[in-house]
Amino acid sequence: MSDIIHLLPDNVANQIAAGEVIQRPASCLKELVENSLDAGATHVRILVKDGGRTLLQVIDNGKGMSPTDARMAFERHATSKIQQASDLFQLHTMGFRGEALASICAVAHVELVTRRPEDEVGTQLEITGSNVIKQEVVQCPIGTNIRVKNLFYNVPARRKFLKTDQTEMRNIITEYNRIALVNPHVQFTLVHNDEIISELPISTTKQRIENIFGHTSKPFTGQLVDVATNSELVNICGFVGKPEMASKNSQQFFFVNGRFMRHPYFHKAIITAYSGLIAADYTPSYFIYFDIQPDAIDVNIHPTKTEIKFADEQAIFQILLAAIREALGKFNITPSLDFTSEMHIEMPQASPQIPPIAMPKLQVDPSYSPFKKSAQQRQNTAGWEDLYTPSFFEPTNQEPNQQLFKLPNITESTPLVQWQNKYIIMLTTDGIVILHQHRVHTAILYKELLKQLQQQKGISQSLLFPDVLELSNEDINILQTLQQDLQTIGFAMHQLTPNAYTITAIPMLLENANPAETILQVIHQVQDTGSNLKQQWQETMTLALADRMAIPIGRELSDIEMRDLIMRFTENCSAQYLSNGQTIFTILTKDEIQKRF
Ligand code: ADP
Ligand code: MG
């Protein structure tokens, strides 16, 4: 027998596990409420004291537990929700690891009172530091009432790490909203220090959204547009805010099978659907619910992680993009028909008496541009079905940035005008081309940087005064994965301390952008994509760098500069969209202009 290696006692092992699952009062609350929902509760009451550090109590009317189960529930890996590994792929409950209660009771004083509908009496349990110190028979209502007191009482490091009560409460409200938004069939009450913070009656999803955000400065009443699409792959429903509701801090929620998730890639689909409808630095609000076969997503995610991987993300991107466009189109917010140059269909003006057709199926239209509004206003009742592709919802592998317009050639005499120090307008025989100056340059630099990466030859310039880059542990991890590529492109950096780097050289192209800030931005963009594919990292990194290097909006350009920019663009890339879906240029075609007269 070994003298050195020994098994940790359960209470120590549980305490270590708790560090992962229960990071703060909000994560503890999330686990408790999810248990109530898994138990089929229709009313969940939450009582919080002092931001959750003194008390977190959850009272539900769910199916309760037998005396044996009540005791079992606090054992590690004790769960009633799965029995074998294959169950993981058919998961319909929030919990399944059987870790939460074991973790919570390792780091708090826990009291549980529970009764099943079929039992006359209930069970009361008191647990401290993983030890049951009391188990009794009690009179109590059906359901479960759990009190978690003095969280982290025995882990001083954790307790110290807690923020102010106000901040912890804000985190609790964030978790509460995420859960409430996806369970409108459940009544919720949230009380903090004896004050009612939120009361949510059973309602529809739309009412739930309105109830949750009703008291904020931007209530959603009358501002939500329905989104709904069903396909074999995925069902998507929910709401998006009207474009005029867009702001710098909008409410953005994705849910999959009843669970909140973050998904930067799907977020881009929504942003793409709104492109041209809202100002550049504004984002739309959305509440999107995905319903998908459990085996098409990675369920075995860590309980504290909100990123969820899907099997077929590209196809879902397309479906989502189309669904949002359709939703916006239905409300005449975007063009609902696509008149590309191939479609010369003469359609008489719809008479005002004919009601608009409800819910046309729309073609995926990555070329959507706000300039096509006039065409849409001519929407007609006769023969419109022919314009729609029946296979609309069939997932395609098209990239969202598929090229639809080709940029007409530029000659020395092509007239160019800069407009609003942001767009370059180019007059050609085929139509009027409008190019976004910053994005045209971004596209050129993106190509250039990718080439340098592939050929391993970036051009570097030394900094007179090295810049210092300070990073969090998470940032450091990402930086280390990107470091090689950053060096190839022309950055030189050295680790100073565990959390700081000096930057001594930068790519020639970066000119006067702040080096440390640039790298930080790159790191955060890569982090936001949530991908762990190296190629996607490289692309995100390169695009972020190109974006920093490109001429900004607001810069006045001379005729020569504009001409040079467009020539380089035509030579190198001339795609209509950046790889993040942003439109680089659009064309007001001759036909479209003619239709206006
Ligand atoms: P998991 O939810 O992953 O199964 P937990 O540690 O959160 O693990 O809970 C362990 C078990 O305790 C659950 O599987 C469930 O059977 C039972 N349980 C926990 N909370 C409740 C509740 N509010 N009502 C009924 N049963 C519960
Ligand atoms: Mg659970």
Side-chain angles (χ1 to χ4, degrees):
M1 208 176 130
S2 167
D3 293 337
I4 307 171
I5 300 178
H6 56 92
L7 287 171
L8 290 173
D10 271 359
N11 61 337
V12 180
N14 285 342
Q15 215 179 51
I16 293 169
E20 287 186 30
V21 186
I22 309 299
Q23 294 165 328
R24 48 179 6 102
S27 40
C28 179
L29 185 81
K30 169 176 176 278
E31 294 294 337
L32 297 178
V33 176
E34 287 184 350
N35 280 345
S36 297
L37 297 171
D38 284 344
T42 54
H43 186 185
V44 177
R45 274 186 296 153
I46 302 161
L47 310 179
V48 181
K49 287 241 158 78
D50 307 323
R53 77 181 73 220
T54 311
L55 175 75
L56 282 167
Q57 181 170 15
V58 175
I59 306 164
D60 70 46
N61 62 352
K63 65 182 179 198
M65 284 175 266
S66 71
T68 325
D69 280 351
R71 216 174 156 125
M72 269 291 279
F74 292 91
E75 297 288 332
R76 199 133 61 99
H77 305 307
T79 179
S80 55
K81 298 168 195 174
I82 59 170
Q83 285 176 3
Q84 52 204 34
S86 61
D87 292 347
L88 276 173
F89 301 101
Q90 289 305 322
L91 209 60
H92 295 282
T93 55
M94 304 299 291
F96 59 88
R97 295 165 166 261
E99 264 176 0
L101 292 186
S103 298
I104 293 169
C105 76
V107 293
H109 298 123
V110 178
E111 284 171 34
L112 172 82
V113 175
T114 185
R115 175 158 83 89
R116 300 185 298 178
E118 62 263 43
D119 295 335
E120 291 282 296
V121 286
T123 309
Q124 182 178 24
L125 268 185
E126 258 184 64
I127 303 177
T128 293
S130 298
N131 297 314
V132 178
I133 53 172
K134 180 172 154 192
Q135 174 157 9
E136 272 175 16
V137 173
V138 287
Q139 292 289 339
C140 63
I142 290 169
T144 301
N145 180 342
I146 183 161
R147 290 160 61 87
V148 174
K149 297 191 296 187
N150 311 320
L151 191 63
F152 303 131
Y153 77 98
N154 53 353
V155 198
R158 278 267 159 196
R159 210 170 159 84
K160 249 187 263 160
F161 174 76
L162 293 181
K163 305 268 164 50
T164 60
D165 289 2
Q166 216 184 358
T167 306
E168 294 302 340
M169 195 56 205
R170 215 174 25 232
N171 288 324
I172 286 177
I173 292 174
T174 300
E175 288 296 347
Y176 173 86
N177 285 345
R178 286 175 184 176
I179 294 174
L181 279 169
V182 75
N183 289 285
H185 54 283
V186 177
Q187 180 185 351
F188 287 96
T189 314
L190 175 62
V191 177
H192 185 216
N193 294 340
D194 301 321
E195 186 196 341
I196 296 180
I197 303 285
S198 162
E199 284 245 59
L200 300 169
I202 291 175
S203 64
T204 62
T205 303
K206 196 172 191 172
Q207 283 165 344
R208 179 55 58 94
I209 296 170
E210 291 172 358
N211 285 340
I212 289 181
F213 298 103
H215 55 277
T216 61
S217 58
K218 280 205 167 178
F220 282 102
T221 318
Q223 298 297 330
L224 294 172
V225 176
D226 285 64
V227 176
T229 175
N230 294 330
S231 67
E232 251 173 46
L233 186 62
V234 64
N235 292 341
I236 301 175
C237 66
F239 304 92
V240 292
K242 292 189 177 164
E244 56 266 35
M245 278 288 283
S247 70
K248 282 185 182 160
N249 43 14
S250 33
Q251 303 293 344
Q252 302 175 330
F253 293 88
F254 281 130
F255 302 96
V256 56
N257 296 355
R259 209 184 278 273
F260 169 82
M261 69 160 179
R262 281 180 216 280
H263 210 293
Y265 184 55
F266 294 164
H267 172 81
K268 261 178 215 153
I270 296 191
I271 298 301
T272 308
Y274 276 82
S275 72
L277 295 172
I278 55 182
D281 47 350
Y282 279 29
T283 52
S285 286
Y286 57 80
F287 305 87
I288 299 292
Y289 302 78
F290 296 86
D291 187 13
I292 192 164
Q293 279 301 317
D295 61 2
I297 54 173
D298 181 7
V299 285
N300 197 10
I301 35 140
H302 193 268
T304 57
K305 286 261 156 46
T306 48
E307 280 85 13
I308 293 191
K309 296 224 177 330
F310 286 63
D312 205 347
E313 304 205 326
Q314 282 200 355
I316 297 176
F317 182 105
Q318 292 295 339
I319 295 172
L320 178 63
L321 173 62
I324 306 282
R325 286 213 168 126
E326 185 189 9
L328 294 174
K330 239 186 281 172
F331 285 76
N332 278 339
I333 296 165
T334 69
S336 42
L337 294 178
D338 176 26
F339 288 82
T340 47
S341 44
E342 297 86 326
M343 293 180 179
H344 297 286
I345 299 164
E346 278 307 320
M347 301 209 298
Q349 182 91 37
S351 86
Q353 295 94 301
I354 301 174
I357 304 159
M359 296 199 223
K361 285 273 176 289
L362 299 186
Q363 195 174 351
V364 183
D365 171 20
S367 76
Y368 158 66
S369 102
F371 297 99
K372 287 195 225 148
K373 278 227 163 82
S374 65
Q376 169 244 337
Q377 279 148 14
R378 265 152 241 266
Q379 184 174 341
N380 182 357
T381 51
W384 58 271
E385 295 95 334
D386 302 341
L387 294 174
Y388 301 111
T389 319
S391 61
F392 170 56
F393 281 124
E394 274 167 30
T396 66
N397 275 332
Q398 276 177 5
E399 281 294 321
N401 54 348
Q402 185 203 33
Q403 181 178 345
L404 281 186
F405 274 124
K406 200 171 151 22
L407 190 68
N409 280 339
I410 179 171
T411 66
E412 271 168 38
S413 57
T414 309
L416 293 181
V417 209
Q418 191 185 19
W419 187 53
Q420 294 196 331
N421 286 350
K422 179 173 176 184
Y423 302 102
I424 301 170
I425 300 188
M426 177 172 143
L427 305 180
T428 73
T429 43
D430 296 328
I432 301 174
V433 185
I434 304 159
L435 301 106
H436 189 287
Q437 68 184 44
H438 172 74
R439 294 183 192 159
V440 169
H441 198 203
T442 305
I444 299 170
L445 293 170
Y446 176 67
K447 267 279 157 73
E448 175 61 30
L449 288 172
L450 275 185
K451 200 167 83 194
Q452 290 184 3
L453 252 185
Q454 275 154 11
Q455 302 177 345
Q456 309 252 324
K457 45 181 178 202
I459 307 160
S460 187
Q461 59 176 328
S462 298
L463 286 174
L464 217 45
F465 303 103
D467 207 1
V468 176
L469 178 63
E470 285 184 56
L471 297 167
S472 68
N473 288 340
E474 206 177 338
D475 291 345
I476 294 263
N477 280 336
I478 297 177
L479 180 67
Q480 282 168 350
T481 10
L482 297 177
Q483 204 169 354
Q484 176 106 49
D485 288 339
L486 285 168
Q487 269 161 6
T488 309
I489 287 181
F491 283 98
M493 50 189 132
H494 311 280
Q495 195 156 15
L496 262 188
T497 69
N499 287 74
Y501 280 74
T502 47
I503 306 172
T504 53
I506 58 169
M508 199 64 136
L509 292 164
L510 198 58
E511 280 179 31
N512 37 20
N514 178 322
E517 240 175 58
T518 304
I519 294 191
L520 257 184
Q521 198 189 2
V522 169
I523 291 174
H524 292 152
Q525 298 254 336
V526 170
Q527 198 171 21
D528 280 352
T529 61
S531 163
N532 47 16
L533 295 175
K534 186 168 161 63
Q535 191 201 346
Q536 212 170 339
W537 276 349
Q538 277 189 344
E539 282 175 13
T540 311
M541 176 189 94
T542 314
L543 188 63
L545 280 173
D547 181 53
R548 289 292 285 208
M549 295 170 179
I551 44 161
I553 292 170
R555 163 94 61 89
E556 206 178 312
L557 298 175
S558 70
D559 190 71
I560 297 177
E561 283 175 315
M562 290 192 280
R563 223 165 276 283
D564 173 60
L565 208 55
I566 296 175
M567 306 254 251
R568 273 158 59 203
F569 180 63
T570 326
E571 274 163 28
N572 288 305
C573 23
S574 74
Q576 207 189 338
Y577 298 88
L578 287 175
S579 63
N580 62 6
Q582 289 180 327
T583 307
I584 303 172
F585 72 88
T586 186
I587 302 181
L588 196 51
T589 63
K590 209 164 57 185
D591 286 349
E592 281 169 318
I593 297 170
Q594 256 158 20
K595 279 201 195 100
R596 291 185 185 226
F597 296 96

